[in-house]
Amino acid sequence: MTVSYTLHVANARFGGFSALLFRWRGSIYKLLYKELLAFLGLYGILSLTYRNLLSQEQKLIYAKVARYCNRSADLIPMSFVLGFYVTQVVNRWWAQYRSIPLPDRLMCVVSATVHGDDERGRTLRRTLLRYANLSSVLVLRSVSTRVLRRFPTVDHVVEAGFMSQEEQQKFESLHSDFNKYWVPCVWFTNLASQARREGRIRDDITLGLLLEELNKYRGNCSLLFHYDWISFPLVYTQVVTIAVYSFFVLCLIGHQFLEEDKSGQEVPLDPYVPLTTLLQFFFYAGWLKVAEQIINPFGEDDDDFETNQLIDRNLQVSLLSVDDMYGDLPPMSRDRYWGEAAAQPPYTVAAAADSLRPSFMGSTFNLRMSEDAAPSETELEKEAGALSGSPSPAWARTPLLGRFLGSSAPSPAISLRVPRTPLMPSRLQTAQAATPVPGRLRLGRLLPVPADRIDEEAPEDPSSEAGSQEEEEERKVESRSEARLTSTP
């Protein structure tokens, strides 16, 4: 059976995953303990031989060989080779599970399109779904050892009720060198066409919808068969297996304890049990064992797919949906929240503590603006009305304001304190970047001031006049220099 531990890791807590380390069924210990015992036995034999049976000269030769093996083991890219292999195998494993044909979509379409409360209509619906389940049983017999143990011959399929005696004769009379799992799907299409001619299926569009769902179901059967036919490339499987076993053969020799041959040198620690080497073996060999287990998930390992239970479930659910549930509807009535504008389902006391929270409205929903925010539209209208009947205030008669509203008169640099608004015109950005002078303006009060009134009442700035005189003198100097250049031969 598939080992499921989803409930035990629903909440991440201290020691939650550590409790899973003590399980045996489906664990890495069950997969790896034989290889681990063999590795420990070989390591112990080599260690005892080196310590007790070799002479001093033989120990020197063994030490050279061990150092060479230790350097060679580091040259094997174990992480890259194993990582890519296991990733591809896991992706293939999940794709195979998703390709298992499930009749849920097909049974809903059959129940909605094949009509008739009489025995003929009931027989049509049940036969259509039986053909679909028969196709999946035939393809699962071809790929799963568990299903083959359950249905070793076609006679067992007939005895289980997936096929009648007449259908068995027609099935066996078709001579083909290939797998005939597709034959029930053809029977399905012929029976659906007959139901259309009888008027059990109302129109051709409905018949097309039914056959489209059947083709998706048949496509999953075909994909499952081809996953079994086209295996993962044997070359890469061999490369990974040779790499792992070669690595640990080198580790058996290279990770042995070696006596120092120089006098006066500190003797290293003698670990009779190589813990780091055992951890390496546990990780790398365990990684390889995971890939070996799931490369074919239709076997009889602990974590292989429960194909027999899928067959039972699919047949029971599909026949129930098109037979007992056909046309069977509960009476309609007003729901509990009929007169409520916003429906709010109740909570239990256990669920209310963590669930009754304000809904998420956006990351900036609770953002508070500064005190210098722009005034509202009503405040702007009041300012505009007050300015239309009274002379312009001093802050409104600045050259900067005239330039902002369209005047061509030069203006001195002035500092603005711009509030936080979603959009900022480019003119205000230019004004904000100017050299600051004493005085601050509020952006919201600039807009209601008429441009012509500001231009008329704006006083002349002596600094701007001095600047214009300097520019005129510079132009005269430039014109004289150009005239001298043109007059020189």
Side-chain angles (χ1 to χ4, degrees), residues 61-264:
I61 297 175
Y62 182 87
K64 293 180 180 180
V65 175
R67 293 189 182 95
Y68 173 78
C69 293
N70 193 17
R71 291 193 302 266
S72 301
D74 296 335
L75 299 178
I76 301 177
M78 291 295 298
S79 299
F80 172 76
V81 173
L82 270 174
F84 179 79
Y85 180 69
V86 174
T87 301
Q88 297 302 317
V89 170
V90 169
N91 292 336
R92 177 185 172 90
W93 166 75
W94 184 244
Q96 288 182 81
Y97 179 77
R98 297 189 63 181
S99 64
I100 294 177
L102 298 175
D104 296 59
R105 296 181 57 174
L106 184 61
M107 68 187 187
C108 293
V109 176
V110 169
S111 180
T113 57
V114 182
H115 303 284
D117 293 331
D118 55 350
E119 184 178 354
R120 174 63 177 173
R122 178 186 178 187
T123 305
L124 281 173
R125 289 188 297 272
R126 291 179 65 93
T127 305
L128 289 173
L129 267 297
R130 184 170 57 82
Y131 286 161
N133 283 279
L134 174 60
S135 180
S136 65
V137 169
L138 293 177
V139 74
L140 286 173
R141 282 184 67 247
S142 306
V143 302
S144 175
T145 57
R146 291 182 177 180
V147 180
L148 186 61
R149 287 178 181 270
R150 184 179 182 182
F151 307 110
T153 62
V154 181
D155 294 332
H156 291 82
V157 178
V158 174
E159 185 180 356
F162 290 95
M163 184 186 296
S164 64
Q165 295 289 343
E166 295 79 6
E167 292 167 353
Q168 181 185 8
Q169 294 177 3
K170 287 185 174 294
F171 182 81
E172 294 178 348
S173 64
L174 294 172
H175 299 287
S176 177
D177 296 333
F178 303 97
N179 196 316
K180 295 186 292 185
Y181 66 89
W182 46 269
V183 172
C185 294
V186 179
W187 293 347
F188 186 104
T189 58
N190 295 336
L191 187 59
S193 299
Q194 182 178 350
R196 172 70 185 97
R197 290 191 298 269
E198 295 177 3
R200 301 287 179 171
I201 299 177
R202 303 284 173 81
D203 49 45
D204 294 336
I205 298 177
T206 307
L207 177 62
L209 176 62
L210 179 60
L211 296 182
E212 181 181 357
E213 290 298 328
L214 173 68
N215 285 329
K216 293 179 181 178
Y217 185 86
R218 186 211 57 79
N220 285 340
C221 294
S222 177
L223 188 61
L224 196 63
F225 176 75
H226 284 84
Y227 269 121
D228 182 71
W229 184 13
I230 309 299
S231 303
F232 199 83
L234 180 62
V235 176
Y236 200 77
T237 303
Q238 291 175 342
V239 168
V240 174
T241 305
I242 292 173
V244 173
Y245 283 95
S246 301
F247 177 80
F248 287 109
V249 168
L250 295 174
C251 288
L252 280 175
I253 303 174
H255 290 189
Q256 292 284 344
F257 169 75
L258 300 177
E259 297 178 357
E260 295 296 334
D261 55 352
K262 295 181 180 180
S263 60

Side-chain angles (χ1 to χ4, degrees), residues 16 44 54 66 70 73 97 112 175 214 230-231 239 287 318 335 344 352 355 359 395 400 420 428 447 474:
L54 297 182
N70 193 17
Y97 179 77
H175 299 287
L214 173 68
I230 309 299
S231 303
V239 168
W287 213 355
S318 58
D335 58 82
Q344 180 61 51
S355 301
S359 58
W395 59 265
L400 174 64
R420 298 177 182 176
L428 296 182
L447 300 180
E474 290 178 359

